[in-house]
Amino acid sequence: MGAAAFTLISQHISKNTDAETRVIQGIITGVGFLGAGVLMHDRGNVHGLTTAATIWLVTAIGIACGTRIYGISIILVIAGLVVLSTLQSYEQKLRKNSQKDENKSIKNKDL
């Protein structure tokens, strides 16, 4: 969603000066490094993907607001909230199933 937002924003600001687009490019690059720093790799699992994607999305919202593209900003906020709330409930279901599977495997080992 963040990458799509940056694409839409770039279409709207194509008339702006070179300096403004360089500032936006610097922001995107810097936040990309911050998002990469959030990712953690542990025993074959990756943690922090949702956090990194949220940072990326919030950056797109901030740039859209800063360039006065409020329509895209509002759509991104609403879409982001819907996706994050949906992911949260889905993640809780996955954790419950994972715990059930772990409990079953522990019981089977005991037999």
Side-chain angles (χ1 to χ4, degrees):
M1 211 175 349
F6 287 126
T7 303
L8 290 172
I9 292 167
S10 69
Q11 291 173 349
H12 285 283
I13 64 167
S14 61
K15 301 168 192 162
N16 291 2
T17 65
D18 231 11
E20 291 173 349
T21 56
R22 280 192 226 138
V23 168
I24 292 171
Q25 182 231 351
I27 292 169
I28 293 169
T29 302
V31 170
F33 279 104
L34 287 173
V38 170
L39 298 175
M40 304 295 271
H41 187 268
D42 180 36
R43 298 182 197 162
N45 295 319
V46 178
H47 303 280
L49 285 173
T50 305
T51 304
T54 303
I55 291 170
W56 191 248
L57 179 62
V58 170
T59 302
I61 293 168
I63 290 174
C65 287
T67 55
R68 296 184 180 127
I69 309 171
Y70 300 116
I72 291 176
S73 302
I74 292 168
I75 291 169
L76 289 173
V77 168
I78 292 168
L81 289 172
V82 168
V83 168
L84 288 172
S85 63
T86 304
L87 283 177
Q88 184 180 16
S89 63
Y90 183 69
E91 181 182 14
Q92 289 172 352
K93 289 178 185 178
L94 285 175
R95 285 188 185 192
K96 286 180 185 177
N97 289 339
S98 175
Q99 289 174 351
K100 288 178 185 177
D101 290 343
E102 286 178 17
N103 290 339
K104 285 181 184 178
S105 65
I106 290 171
K107 288 179 183 178
N108 289 339
K109 286 181 184 178
D110 291 341
L111 295 176

